[in-house]
Amino acid sequence: MQIKIQRWLFSLLIIGALFVGGCGSSPVADSTATSNPASGENISLSPSPSPAAVAASSQFSNLPRLEGKATVVMTVKGAPITIELDGTNAPITAGNFVDLVQKGVYDGLVFHRVVREPQPFVVQGGDPQGKDPKFPTARLGTGGFIDPKTTTERRIPLEIKAKGAANPTYSQTLEEAGVKEKPVLVHSRGAVAMARSQSPDSASSQFYFTLTDVPFLDGSYAVFGYVKQGMDVIDKIEAGDRIEKATVTQGLENFKPVQ
C-alpha cells in the first residue's frame, strides 16, 4: 500500500510540475512515457477514413504537415542530438516541428525545465520567449510560436494514433475518445513529444525529451519522434542550456508547408 501511495504522489508531482503557469490556455504542460511498448496487439479497425477523420483533415488544412519521415539534428553544448520525426503517424505534430526548425524558431532557445528528481522524467524547451536572455526565468514555459502571418499564436491539435487505427485521434486523449488500444508512438526513453496545457489543442512550439519510460502519459500527449543518437547529450542538459542550432538534415521532401 505504501508503494502504491508513493507512486501516486510521484505521478501527481510530475504532472503538476509539467503544467507550466501563466494563463490556462498557454501551451505548457508536459508528458512522459506510459504504455507498454512490448505489447503486440493486432487490432483491426476500418481502413477507410471515418467522417471525423475527414473533417479533422479539412479543419487543420492550414497547418504544415510531414508525410513520412524526416531527421532533425539539434546541437546543444556543441554536441549533436539526432531526432527521427514520424510524420506517418503524427503528420501535423511532426510537420509543425519541421516548420519551426526551418524558420529558425528553436535556434538559441533555452531548456527551461529539467526534471530528474525524485526520478528521471523530462527535459523541456521550445518557449520562444527564452531567446531573450533578459526574459524572466520564472515566466519561461508560458509562450508559444507567434505566426507572423496571423500575428497570433499557432496552436496545433492533440494528435495521437492508436495501434491498428487508420487515422490519428484529434483534439481528445485516447481515453476521452473511448479508444482502448495503445498509441503507436509511446513515451519510451528518448521520445520527443509536445508540451501543452490542459486544453488538448494548446500545443504550439514547446516540446520535451523523455529521460526514461513514463507510460502513464501515453494516449494523453502527442509523441512525434524519437532520439536516434545523442541521448548522452540530453542526459547532461541542465536548465538554462540553449539549443545552438536545429537543422533538418533528411526528409525535407516529405514536408508540406502551408502555401
Side-chain angles (χ1 to χ4, degrees), residues 98-136:
V98 169
D99 188 53
L100 298 181
V101 169
Q102 286 292 97
K103 287 177 165 59
V105 171
Y106 291 119
D107 298 350
L109 293 194
V110 70
F111 288 101
H112 61 274
R113 174 174 292 105
V114 177
V115 181
R116 291 196 177 93
E117 299 294 339
Q119 54 186 284
F121 186 50
V122 300
V123 170
Q124 182 176 331
D127 183 344
Q129 299 172 127
K131 191 164 289 191
D132 179 0
K134 296 181 180 179
F135 190 82

Coordinates of all heavy atoms in Angstrom, one line a residue, residues 98-136:
V98 N 8.9 20.5 -37.9 CA 9.8 20.8 -39.1 C 9.7 22.2 -39.5 O 10.7 22.9 -39.8 CB 9.5 19.8 -40.2 CG1 10.2 20.3 -41.5 CG2 9.9 18.4 -39.9
D99 N 8.5 22.7 -39.6 CA 8.3 24.1 -40.0 C 9.0 25.1 -39.0 O 9.6 26.0 -39.5 CB 6.8 24.4 -40.0 CG 6.4 25.8 -40.6 OD1 6.9 26.0 -41.7 OD2 5.8 26.6 -39.9
L100 N 8.9 24.8 -37.7 CA 9.6 25.7 -36.8 C 11.1 25.6 -36.9 O 11.8 26.6 -36.7 CB 9.1 25.4 -35.4 CG 7.6 25.6 -35.1 CD1 7.2 25.3 -33.6 CD2 7.2 27.0 -35.4
V101 N 11.6 24.4 -37.1 CA 13.0 24.2 -37.3 C 13.4 25.0 -38.6 O 14.5 25.7 -38.5 CB 13.4 22.7 -37.5 CG1 14.8 22.6 -38.0 CG2 13.2 22.0 -36.2
Q102 N 12.7 24.9 -39.6 CA 13.0 25.6 -40.9 C 13.0 27.1 -40.7 O 13.8 27.8 -41.3 CB 12.0 25.2 -42.0 CG 12.3 23.8 -42.6 CD 13.6 23.7 -43.3 OE1 14.6 23.3 -42.8 NE2 13.5 24.1 -44.6
K103 N 12.1 27.6 -39.9 CA 12.0 29.0 -39.6 C 13.1 29.5 -38.6 O 13.2 30.7 -38.3 CB 10.6 29.4 -39.0 CG 9.5 29.3 -40.1 CD 8.2 29.6 -39.4 CE 7.1 29.9 -40.5 NZ 6.9 28.9 -41.4
G104 N 13.9 28.6 -38.0 CA 14.9 29.0 -37.1 C 14.4 29.3 -35.7 O 15.1 30.0 -34.9
V105 N 13.1 28.9 -35.4 CA 12.5 29.3 -34.1 C 13.3 28.7 -33.0 O 13.4 29.4 -31.9 CB 11.0 28.8 -34.1 CG1 10.4 28.9 -32.7 CG2 10.2 29.6 -35.1
Y106 N 13.8 27.5 -33.1 CA 14.4 26.9 -32.0 C 15.9 27.3 -31.7 O 16.4 27.1 -30.6 CB 14.4 25.3 -32.1 CG 13.0 24.8 -32.0 CD1 12.4 24.1 -33.1 CD2 12.2 24.9 -30.9 CE1 11.1 23.6 -33.0 CE2 11.0 24.4 -30.7 CZ 10.4 23.8 -31.8 OH 9.1 23.3 -31.7
D107 N 16.5 27.9 -32.7 CA 17.9 28.4 -32.6 C 18.0 29.4 -31.4 O 17.4 30.4 -31.5 CB 18.4 29.0 -33.9 CG 18.4 28.0 -35.0 OD1 18.2 26.8 -34.8 OD2 18.6 28.4 -36.2
G108 N 18.8 29.1 -30.4 CA 19.0 30.0 -29.3 C 18.1 29.8 -28.2 O 18.2 30.5 -27.2
L109 N 17.1 29.0 -28.3 CA 16.1 28.8 -27.2 C 16.7 28.0 -26.0 O 17.5 27.1 -26.2 CB 14.8 28.2 -27.7 CG 14.0 29.0 -28.7 CD1 12.6 28.4 -28.9 CD2 13.9 30.4 -28.3
V110 N 16.1 28.3 -24.9 CA 16.6 27.7 -23.6 C 15.8 26.4 -23.2 O 14.6 26.4 -23.5 CB 16.6 28.7 -22.5 CG1 15.2 29.0 -22.1 CG2 17.4 28.3 -21.3
F111 N 16.4 25.5 -22.6 CA 15.7 24.4 -21.9 C 15.3 24.9 -20.5 O 16.2 25.1 -19.7 CB 16.5 23.1 -21.8 CG 16.7 22.5 -23.2 CD1 17.9 22.6 -23.9 CD2 15.7 21.7 -23.7 CE1 18.1 22.0 -25.1 CE2 15.9 21.0 -24.9 CZ 17.0 21.2 -25.6
H112 N 14.1 25.2 -20.3 CA 13.7 25.9 -19.1 C 13.2 24.9 -18.0 O 13.1 25.3 -16.8 CB 12.5 26.8 -19.3 CG 11.3 26.2 -19.9 ND1 11.1 26.0 -21.2 CD2 10.2 25.7 -19.3 CE1 9.9 25.4 -21.4 NE2 9.3 25.2 -20.3
R113 N 13.0 23.6 -18.3 CA 12.6 22.7 -17.3 C 13.3 21.3 -17.5 O 13.3 20.7 -18.6 CB 11.1 22.4 -17.4 CG 10.6 21.3 -16.5 CD 9.1 21.1 -16.5 NE 8.5 22.3 -15.9 CZ 7.8 23.2 -16.6 NH1 7.8 23.1 -17.9 NH2 7.3 24.2 -16.0
V114 N 14.0 20.9 -16.5 CA 14.7 19.6 -16.4 C 14.3 18.9 -15.1 O 14.5 19.5 -14.0 CB 16.2 19.8 -16.5 CG1 16.9 18.4 -16.4 CG2 16.7 20.5 -17.8
V115 N 13.6 17.8 -15.3 CA 13.1 17.0 -14.1 C 13.9 15.7 -14.0 O 13.6 14.8 -14.9 CB 11.6 16.8 -14.2 CG1 11.2 16.1 -12.9 CG2 10.9 18.1 -14.3
R116 N 14.7 15.6 -13.0 CA 15.5 14.3 -12.8 C 15.2 13.7 -11.4 O 15.6 12.6 -11.2 CB 17.0 14.5 -13.0 CG 17.4 14.8 -14.5 CD 18.9 14.6 -14.7 NE 19.2 14.8 -16.1 CZ 19.6 15.9 -16.6 NH1 19.7 17.0 -15.8 NH2 19.9 16.0 -17.9
E117 N 14.6 14.5 -10.6 CA 14.3 14.1 -9.2 C 12.9 14.2 -8.9 O 12.2 15.1 -9.4 CB 15.2 14.9 -8.2 CG 16.7 14.8 -8.4 CD 17.2 13.5 -8.1 OE1 16.5 12.7 -7.4 OE2 18.3 13.2 -8.6
P118 N 12.3 13.3 -8.2 CA 12.9 12.2 -7.5 C 13.3 11.0 -8.4 O 14.0 10.1 -7.9 CB 11.8 11.7 -6.5 CG 10.5 12.1 -7.2 CD 10.8 13.3 -7.9
Q119 N 13.0 11.1 -9.7 CA 13.5 10.1 -10.6 C 13.5 10.8 -12.0 O 12.7 11.7 -12.2 CB 12.7 8.8 -10.6 CG 11.2 9.0 -10.8 CD 10.4 7.7 -10.6 OE1 10.4 6.8 -11.5 NE2 9.8 7.5 -9.4
P120 N 14.2 10.3 -13.0 CA 14.3 10.9 -14.3 C 12.9 11.0 -14.9 O 12.1 10.1 -14.9 CB 15.2 9.9 -15.1 CG 16.1 9.3 -14.0 CD 15.1 9.1 -12.9
F121 N 12.7 12.2 -15.6 CA 11.4 12.4 -16.2 C 11.6 13.0 -17.6 O 11.6 12.3 -18.6 CB 10.6 13.3 -15.3 CG 9.2 13.5 -15.8 CD1 8.4 12.4 -16.2 CD2 8.6 14.7 -15.9 CE1 7.1 12.5 -16.6 CE2 7.3 14.9 -16.3 CZ 6.5 13.8 -16.6
V122 N 11.8 14.4 -17.7 CA 11.8 15.0 -19.0 C 12.8 16.2 -19.0 O 13.2 16.7 -17.9 CB 10.5 15.6 -19.5 CG1 9.5 14.4 -19.6 CG2 10.0 16.6 -18.5
V123 N 13.2 16.6 -20.2 CA 13.9 17.8 -20.5 C 13.0 18.6 -21.4 O 12.7 18.1 -22.5 CB 15.3 17.6 -21.1 CG1 15.9 18.9 -21.6 CG2 16.2 16.9 -20.1
Q124 N 12.6 19.8 -21.1 CA 11.6 20.6 -21.8 C 12.2 21.9 -22.3 O 12.8 22.6 -21.5 CB 10.3 20.8 -21.0 CG 9.2 21.5 -21.8 CD 7.9 21.6 -21.0 OE1 7.7 20.7 -20.1 NE2 7.2 22.7 -21.2
G125 N 11.9 22.3 -23.5 CA 12.3 23.6 -24.0 C 11.3 24.0 -25.1 O 10.2 23.4 -25.3
G126 N 11.7 25.0 -25.9 CA 10.9 25.5 -27.0 C 10.0 26.7 -26.8 O 9.2 27.0 -27.7
D127 N 10.2 27.4 -25.7 CA 9.4 28.6 -25.5 C 10.2 29.8 -26.2 O 11.3 30.1 -25.8 CB 9.3 28.9 -24.0 CG 8.5 30.1 -23.7 OD1 8.2 30.9 -24.6 OD2 8.1 30.3 -22.5
P128 N 9.6 30.4 -27.2 CA 10.3 31.4 -28.0 C 10.7 32.6 -27.1 O 11.6 33.4 -27.5 CB 9.2 31.8 -29.0 CG 8.4 30.6 -29.2 CD 8.3 30.0 -27.8
Q129 N 10.0 32.8 -26.0 CA 10.4 33.9 -25.1 C 11.8 33.7 -24.5 O 12.4 34.7 -24.1 CB 9.4 34.0 -23.9 CG 8.0 34.3 -24.4 CD 6.9 34.2 -23.3 OE1 6.2 35.1 -23.1 NE2 6.9 33.1 -22.6
G130 N 12.3 32.5 -24.5 CA 13.6 32.2 -24.0 C 14.7 32.7 -24.8 O 15.9 32.6 -24.4
K131 N 14.5 33.2 -26.0 CA 15.5 33.7 -26.9 C 16.1 34.9 -26.3 O 17.3 35.3 -26.6 CB 15.0 33.9 -28.3 CG 16.1 34.1 -29.3 CD 15.7 33.9 -30.8 CE 15.4 32.4 -31.1 NZ 15.2 32.2 -32.5
D132 N 15.3 35.7 -25.6 CA 15.7 36.9 -25.0 C 16.4 36.6 -23.6 O 15.7 36.1 -22.7 CB 14.5 37.8 -24.7 CG 14.9 39.2 -24.1 OD1 16.1 39.4 -23.8 OD2 14.0 40.0 -23.8
P133 N 17.7 36.8 -23.5 CA 18.4 36.4 -22.2 C 17.9 37.2 -21.0 O 18.1 36.8 -19.9 CB 19.9 36.7 -22.5 CG 19.8 37.7 -23.7 CD 18.6 37.4 -24.5
K134 N 17.2 38.3 -21.3 CA 16.7 39.2 -20.2 C 15.3 38.8 -19.8 O 14.7 39.3 -18.8 CB 16.7 40.6 -20.6 CG 18.1 41.2 -20.8 CD 18.1 42.6 -21.2 CE 19.5 43.2 -21.5 NZ 19.5 44.6 -21.8
F135 N 14.7 37.8 -20.5 CA 13.3 37.4 -20.2 C 13.3 36.7 -18.8 O 14.2 35.8 -18.6 CB 12.7 36.5 -21.2 CG 11.3 36.2 -21.1 CD1 10.3 37.1 -21.5 CD2 10.8 35.1 -20.4 CE1 9.0 36.9 -21.4 CE2 9.5 34.8 -20.3 CZ 8.5 35.8 -20.7
P136 N 12.4 37.0 -17.9 CA 12.4 36.4 -16.6 C 12.3 34.9 -16.6 O 11.4 34.3 -17.2 CB 11.2 37.0 -15.9 CG 10.9 38.3 -16.7 CD 11.3 38.0 -18.1

